[in-house]
Amino acid sequence: MPLQHPRIRTFEDYQDAYQRSIENPEQFWASVAEPFTWRRKWESVCKPDLVDGHNEWFSGAKLNITENCLDRHLATRGNKLALIWEPNDPKTRQIRYTYRELHQQVCQFANVLLNNGVEKGDRVCLYMPMIPQLAIAVLACARIGAVHSVIFAGFSSTAIADRVNDAQASVVLTSDGLNRGPKQIPVKRVVDEALESCPSVRRVIVVEHLGWPVHMEEGRDVWYHEEAQDAAKTCPAEEMDAEDMLFILYTSGSTGKPKGVVHTTAGYMVWADYTFRNVFQVEENDIYWCTADIGWVTGHSYLLYGPLLNGASTLMFEGVPTYPDAGRFWEVIDKHGVNVFYTAPTAIRSLMATPLDNVLSYSLDSLRVLGSVGEPINEEAWHWYHTHVGKERCPVIDTWWQTETGGIMISALAGVSPTKPAHAGQPLPGVQPVLLTQEGQEIEGNNQEGYLAIKASWPGIIRTTYGDHERAKQTYFGPYPGYYFTGDGARRDENGLYRIIGRVDDVINVSGHRFGTAEIENAINENDNVVESAVVGYPHDVKGQGIYAFVICRDGACANEADKPRVEASIIETVVAQIGKIAKPDKIQLVSGLPKTRSGKIMRRILRKVAEGETSNIGDVTTLLDPAVVDEIISGRK
Ligand code: WTA
C-alpha cells in the first residue's frame, strides 16, 4: 500500500502549511517528499541559489519518476482508469487505459527506444499529435532516463530544426499525420523537411495514426508498430539522480531564439504532484480534464505528470473546442462525466462569442472545479465561465505559473481558499512572491503594484537553459540578484490576493502562447521585401493579445498601393514558415520609418500606443531622431 500524501483540506490547513513551508522549508519539503518511491533518499533537501541559479532539490536521492506515476499505483489502482483519450471526431473510437495497461504500454515503448539505441541522457524530440502514444512516449523516455523535449505540433519545420539542433537530439518521434478539427496535417512531411538540417538525428520512429502513406528514409525511419511487435511489456526503470534532467521544453523570451527550459527529476516530480493535489482537489473517483496540449508545460505538469503521480484518471483530447461545433468541450464533459476541468481564457473567450445554447444544451452536472491558465482571465470571461459552465456552483481557480516554474505558483486551492474574478489569489506553500520596484526595492503592504519576483527557491524552479547556463542566470536571476524574476507585472489587492497584469518585458502572450517580439521580428526580417520590423502586442478580444507588426520594406517593394496586399501576404507566409501559424501577425502596417531615438533604439512605447489605438496620448516624441515618422504611423494605423 503506497504511503498516503496528506492534502490541504481547509483554509486553516493552508495557512498552517504555508507558515511551516516558510519557517522551515527543509523539514516541510522532506515531509512532502517522504511518501514517494525512492531508490535512495536525499542527502540534502534544498540547495537554493537565486544569484547564479544553481538550484538543487533532494540532491543525492535516486528515483525514477515513472515508478511514481505508474508502478506504485499498480497494487491499489491497477484497474483504475489512468488515461482516457477522446478523439478529434466524436464518432470515432475512444481509448481507455487502466494504470496496469498504461504501465505496459509505457514499458513497451521504452523497450522500442532501447532497441533503437536510445541511452540515458540522450535527448529525444517528440513532434506528435495529441494521441495516447504521445503521453506514452514521454513516459517511456522518462522510464529509460532519456530527456524528452516535446515540440508543439503546430510549429514549422524551421522551428523544429532550431529546437532539435539546440537539444542535439539523436532520435525524433512523430506520426504520419494529425487531425485538427476538420483538417488533417501531414506531420511526417514537416519533420522530414526539418531534419534536412539536423545532422544529430539518426533515428525517426513514426507512429501510425491516420494511416497515410509517408516517405520513410532508408536507415533512419522506422514504424513504431513494427518495432513494438517483439518488444516486451515490462521494462525496468532506470535509476535517476534527483538532479538528472527529466525534460527540456522550449519557450520564448524577450531576446534571441527560444530557450530550452530544463527541469530535473525529483524537484519537478514533488512540485507537479504537490501542486496538482492541493490546487485541484481531485477525489479518487473523479475524471479530470486538462485541455492543454502536451507540447506546452501545462500539458506536461497537469495533463500528464501531476495527475498520474496522484493516481488520478486524466482525459486527453485530440481535437479543438469548435469541432464539430462550439459545444464540443461541454459534450465531452457530459460524455465522460468530467469533474475537474482546466482550460485557457482564450478558449473561454472564443466560446463565449458563440450562441449561448452551445453550452446551455449540456447538463455539466458532473463539474465541481474549474481552472484557468496561461494568461490573465478578464472579468467578463471569468463570470461567463463561472455562471454558464460552473452554474455558480464550481470555484473558478485562476492559476498563475510559467514554463520555468514547473508548476502552479499562485492560485486559490479549489474550495479551500478565496477566489476573486481576475485574481490568481494567494501563493502556494513554499512560494514567496514579492513586488519589486524597477530598481529592485521590495514594495511592502497591500494595494500595491510592481514587478513580480520570487524570493525563495522552490522544488520546481528552472535548473538551467539547455547548453547555456549564463542565459538562465542573466534572464531570471540577473535583473534582481537574490530573486527569481518572472517578467510579469502584478498587483496585490487589499487582502493580499495577487492579480497578474501581464508581461513587463518584450514577450507577448497570444492565446496563451508566448512569443518574443524579437523572435517574430527576426522571422519577418527573413522576407526578401523587408528591411526592418518592429512587433508589439495589442489587446485582442479572443486571443488576449494580438500581434501588430510595423514593417519597413525595401525600396521598390511597395512602390504602388496595389503591391501592398501581396507583400503583406508574403510576410505572413514567411512567419508561418519560420515559426508556425500560431505566430501569424494579426495586423501588418507598412511604414517608411520607425520611431527611433538618436542612439538608434526603437521606441516601442510609441508603437504600443499606436497599436492600442491610444494615439491622442502618445507622449514625448522630442527625443526621436525623426519625430515626423510618428504622424505617418498614426495616420496609417490598421
Ligand atoms: C502568463 C504557462 C495571468 C504570464 C503556464 C506568464 C498568466 C506566462 C497566468 C507563462 C494566469 C500564465 N494569469 N497570466 N493565470 N498563467 N500567465 O510559460 O505572463 O507558457 O509569465 O506557462 O503566461 O507562460 P508559459
Side-chain angles (χ1 to χ4, degrees), residues 227-303:
E227 298 292 301
Q229 260 168 16
D230 306 316
K233 291 188 175 168
T234 56
C235 176
E238 183 74 34
E239 185 167 289
M240 304 300 284
D241 212 85
E243 286 297 337
D244 275 342
M245 250 192 284
L246 176 64
F247 66 85
I248 307 173
L249 193 54
Y250 285 83
T251 188
S252 299
S254 48
T255 54
K257 291 205 178 241
K259 47 187 176 269
V261 171
V262 170
H263 284 289
T264 56
T265 305
Y268 175 81
M269 173 182 81
V270 170
W271 191 239
D273 172 82
Y274 182 79
T275 53
F276 177 83
R277 178 169 44 259
N278 290 301
V279 170
F280 295 104
Q281 299 283 325
V282 169
E283 302 296 347
E284 188 63 42
N285 295 318
D286 278 355
I287 305 290
Y288 162 87
W289 181 19
C290 165
T291 66
D293 193 290
I294 293 182
W296 309 113
V297 75
T298 308
H300 282 56
S301 301
Y302 299 113
L303 191 161

Side-chain angles (χ1 to χ4, degrees), residues 580-615:
K581 279 205 180 109
I582 49 177
K584 222 159 61 171
D586 297 278
K587 295 183 181 180
I588 296 177
Q589 182 180 342
L590 304 178
V591 295
S592 66
L594 290 166
K596 287 189 180 170
T597 61
R598 290 192 178 86
S599 59
K601 200 169 165 327
I602 296 173
M603 289 194 68
R604 288 168 186 282
R605 176 177 62 76
I606 293 175
L607 297 177
R608 263 184 233 121
K609 287 254 160 98
V610 174
E612 287 163 10
E614 300 257 333
T615 47

Side-chain angles (χ1 to χ4, degrees), residues 147-150 163 166-167 245-253 257-264 268 297 300 402-407 460-468 471-472 475-476 484 514:
V147 179
H148 55 78
S149 186
V150 185
R163 286 158 176 76
D166 188 82
M245 250 192 284
L246 176 64
F247 66 85
I248 307 173
L249 193 54
Y250 285 83
T251 188
S252 299
K257 291 205 178 241
K259 47 187 176 269
V261 171
V262 170
H263 284 289
T264 56
Y268 175 81
V297 75
H300 282 56
Q402 308 177 301
T403 305
E404 296 87 342
T405 69
I461 191 171
I462 177 176
R463 296 306 196 271
T464 191
T465 41
Y466 189 73
D468 186 0
R471 193 163 174 204
T475 311
Y476 306 109
Y484 166 84
R514 272 165 71 170

Side-chain angles (χ1 to χ4, degrees), residues 46-57 457 461 469 477 482:
C46 170
K47 292 187 191 157
D49 173 7
L50 300 186
V51 175
D52 291 321
H54 295 295
N55 290 277
E56 288 186 17
W57 282 84
S457 188
I461 191 171
H469 187 75
F477 309 100

